[in-house]
Amino acid sequence: MGSDFDTKSAVDEIQKTAKADEKFQGTVSTQNLEKKDPIKVVIIGGGACGMAVATKIRRQSDFEITVISRDSHTAYSHCGIPFVLGREIESFEKLIVKPRDFFKRNRIDVKLNEYVSSIDLDLKVVRTGEETYPFDKLVIATGSLPFIPFTGNTNVLPYGIFTLRNLDDGVLFEKALETVERVCIIGAGTIGIECAAALSKRGIKTFLINRSKNLLSKQLDPDISEIIREHLESLGIEVISGKLAAYPENFWKEKTLYVWDRQLPADLILLASGVRPEVSLALEAGIKIGKAGGIIVNEMLQVKAREKFLPYVYAGGECVEIIDLITGEAKLSHLGTTARHMADIIGNNITGKYTPLGPLANPWVAVAGELQFGGVGITSKEAESHGIKINTGFSRGRTRASYYPGRKDLYIKLLFKDDILVGAQLIGGEGIKERIDAFSLAIRKKATIRDLLDLETCYAPPVSMLVDPLRPAVKAAIRNIKEKKEKQIQAK
């Protein structure tokens, strides 16, 4: 859980890992000797995790690999969809990272538009409507499904209401946008905000409706999310928060969205109200699901069934629970970077290279128009729910020298548990990704207030201020800690 190790314990840990790796590789080697036929690997899901597992295994083995995907495209960037809608990327085809022919050349059999109906762990087969696939190793990378708040008597979305689960959804939504003037987006997470900025850029009147009072309420503190709200409103987007939205079953006819006591005219509605892990196949197969709603896995990303972890079944991506670095509790991660990291670990373990997954800090970043924002670690709300007392420091600075052209605002909020950094939230016009990455490392290394205060920073007018905005944020945290201590003394 990110605890400190002295030299002796570090050596012990390395030796322990080496022995486990040796034993693990020996097991895989024995399996290879026992089997004359190549090991069959079946991967359910062709998203960021599934396709990356396939290519990883191919680079490291001669196994027989089959990927079963309900999508009609291979290896594409889902995160790029809002930027195609905003016409910063010219077409959806540009989001396809590797075409189907790439996988064919590398002897990876990709089954597109094929739905898995069941997994039989005893017989070691996966069944679809078309075929039965036997496996020696199985990877479940089913991802997630959009959360759809049904408000009528049917579970079918009315015409004119869209989600963005896959590339096909993006293509359909883009086609529909060609003739509309008003769009309502339900949900102010990263996808909802990025899409709102994209549509506004195209001159489409956009309403962004959020059930929570604050935007990105699970990822940012209210004072930070308010800066994003102001930016979106400056783009002409009407932001409505703290209100529930309902659409009529005959939306295609009424063209109206009901938000509390208002009736908003809308040609289209985009549902961006979050996702839920797709675990139905795993659940039906008897695989254990955790409290956070995802598949329970061990450090090797092997699933649990019948009260034990199965050495031949792995799971990764959005459908899996990870351990939070700060709280130590299970949670879900919807990040493409996490899915890709898991793919490497699964690929290594399947091919005999023991690789564990440790607790994660979940650094993330998003872009809406000219504004970048993101964070890492826990928020104030999350800390409160876990009984963690925190101290915060906030600063506002610039990304360049005050006299240098093109300077942009930069906001930094730091969260400390005692004197140790446990969270960071940033907003600005540039350089946010790099700063979040640095804070991610600082959190993992348990950097203290003193460490950050002593940090040496570089300077050049086109890329920074002489006094980096980090420093006043740290000093603000120190002042807040002193004030709390003084109040506690006075209270006594």
Side-chain angles (χ1 to χ4, degrees):
M1 291 309 301
S3 58
D4 294 325
F5 294 93
D6 56 25
T7 304
K8 184 178 183 302
S9 61
V11 172
D12 292 342
E13 186 68 19
I14 292 171
Q15 291 175 342
K16 180 181 177 182
T17 302
K19 289 178 181 178
D21 193 16
E22 182 180 349
K23 180 181 179 182
F24 183 65
Q25 290 193 42
T27 302
V28 174
S29 298
T30 302
Q31 291 173 349
N32 285 336
L33 290 173
E34 291 175 352
K35 293 193 173 189
K36 293 182 180 180
D37 294 332
I39 290 177
K40 293 181 174 64
V41 179
V42 174
I43 301 168
I44 305 174
C49 182
M51 301 309 288
V53 169
T55 54
K56 181 76 171 181
I57 293 174
R58 172 53 67 235
R59 285 195 298 269
Q60 298 179 174
S61 76
D62 198 37
F63 295 169
E64 184 179 303
I65 306 169
T66 303
V67 179
I68 306 172
S69 174
R70 61 188 173 190
D71 282 341
S72 56
H73 299 88
T74 60
Y76 61 88
S77 172
H78 183 274
C79 298
I81 291 176
F83 305 101
V84 178
L85 297 177
R87 294 175 174 169
E88 296 170 66
I89 300 173
E90 64 183 57
S91 70
F92 286 100
E93 285 71 23
K94 295 289 184 180
L95 301 184
I96 300 175
V97 182
K98 289 183 175 67
R100 192 170 185 176
D101 185 58
F102 166 86
F103 297 99
K104 186 176 181 180
R105 291 197 309 270
N106 285 278
R107 294 177 293 113
I108 298 172
D109 189 9
V110 180
K111 307 289 186 180
L112 297 178
N113 298 307
E114 192 162 341
Y115 289 74
V116 173
S117 58
S118 67
I119 300 169
D120 192 319
L121 297 177
D122 295 321
L123 296 179
K124 290 188 177 182
V125 295
V126 167
R127 297 185 180 90
T128 70
E130 289 78 14
E131 201 169 334
T132 297
Y133 299 90
F135 63 83
D136 299 302
K137 303 287 184 180
L138 174 66
V139 180
I140 301 172
T142 44
S144 60
L145 294 174
F147 172 69
I148 300 176
F150 290 109
T151 57
N153 298 319
T154 177
N155 284 341
V156 178
L157 282 177
Y159 179 78
I161 299 180
F162 294 81
T163 63
L164 292 178
R165 190 193 71 80
N166 55 32
L167 206 62
D168 286 337
D169 289 345
V171 172
L172 289 173
F173 187 54
E174 162 67 22
K175 184 69 176 176
L177 288 174
E178 294 177 359
T179 57
V180 306
E181 297 180 355
R182 299 173 303 275
V183 174
C184 288
I185 300 176
I186 300 177
T190 53
I191 289 293
I193 290 174
E194 288 179 338
C195 287
L199 269 54
S200 174
K201 182 181 178 182
R202 294 175 58 160
I204 298 172
K205 175 60 182 175
T206 306
F207 299 88
L208 182 62
I209 302 101
N210 196 46
R211 181 176 60 180
S212 300
K213 182 180 179 181
N214 304 301
L215 310 185
L216 294 158
S217 57
K218 293 183 179 180
Q219 296 164 279
L220 295 175
D221 286 356
D223 54 342
I224 299 297
S225 68
E226 188 62 27
I227 300 169
I228 300 174
R229 173 195 286 269
E230 293 173 0
H231 172 73
L232 295 175
E233 290 175 342
S234 74
L235 299 178
I237 299 167
E238 184 172 344
V239 181
I240 304 170
S241 59
K243 306 291 184 183
L244 291 174
Y247 49 82
E249 291 183 25
N250 62 340
F251 171 78
W252 61 273
K253 185 177 181 180
E254 285 194 33
K255 300 288 185 180
T256 301
L257 180 68
Y258 298 92
V259 182
W260 196 241
D261 58 349
R262 293 182 61 183
Q263 296 182 26
L264 301 180
D267 299 309
L268 299 176
I269 293 175
L270 175 63
L271 297 180
S273 48
V275 295
R276 301 291 185 270
E278 171 56 294
V279 295
S280 57
L281 279 172
L283 189 62
E284 290 170 5
I287 293 170
K288 188 75 173 177
I289 307 301
K291 292 181 179 179
I295 298 171
I296 294 176
V297 292
N298 61 11
E299 63 176 9
M300 294 171 64
L301 296 181
Q302 295 167 335
V303 307
K304 189 175 186 179
R306 305 186 187 102
E307 302 307 317
K308 64 180 181 180
F309 289 102
L310 305 181
Y312 57 92
V313 183
Y314 297 77
E318 289 184 300
C319 62
V320 166
E321 293 185 354
I322 56 109
I323 301 300
D324 186 90
L325 180 66
I326 307 302
T327 67
E329 295 189 3
K331 66 184 296 185
L332 300 170
S333 176
H334 302 298
L335 303 176
T337 48
T338 302
R340 187 64 179 78
H341 182 40
M342 287 180 170
D344 277 344
I345 290 172
I346 293 172
N348 280 341
N349 287 327
I350 286 179
T351 56
K353 298 183 178 181
Y354 171 72
T355 309
L357 176 72
L360 301 177
N362 269 321
W364 64 277
V365 68
V367 180
E370 299 297 320
L371 193 71
Q372 303 174 10
F373 51 94
V376 60
I378 62 174
T379 63
S380 296
K381 182 179 179 180
E382 192 175 5
E384 183 181 358
S385 67
H386 287 86
I388 300 174
K389 294 182 179 180
I390 60 168
N391 295 293
T392 64
F394 175 82
S395 74
R396 174 185 175 182
R398 299 293 174 88
T399 59
R400 309 178 187 185
S402 59
Y403 54 81
Y404 200 88
R407 63 189 180 278
K408 296 177 174 63
D409 287 337
L410 173 62
Y411 303 87
I412 300 177
K413 184 172 185 178
L414 304 177
L415 294 83
F416 295 90
K417 176 188 176 185
D418 300 324
D419 289 339
I420 298 175
L421 183 68
V422 292
Q425 301 169 29
L426 294 90
I427 295 179
E430 57 188 359
I432 297 302
K433 188 264 184 199
E434 294 78 10
R435 285 180 177 270
I436 291 174
D437 287 346
F439 282 126
S440 179
L441 177 61
I443 289 174
R444 186 166 290 278
K445 294 298 182 181
K446 293 191 172 182
T448 65
I449 288 182
R450 187 77 248 177
D451 292 333
L452 296 180
L453 196 62
D454 291 341
L455 180 67
E456 296 180 86
T457 58
C458 54
Y459 162 70
V463 294
S464 65
M465 298 176 66
L466 180 59
V467 177
D468 192 275
L470 168 64
R471 191 170 184 83
V474 176
K475 286 186 173 181
I478 293 173
R479 286 195 303 271
N480 290 337
I481 291 173
K482 287 182 178 179
E483 289 176 3
K484 283 186 178 181
K485 287 182 178 179
E486 289 174 358
K487 289 180 179 179
Q488 289 173 354
I489 293 172
Q490 292 173 0
K492 292 179 181 178

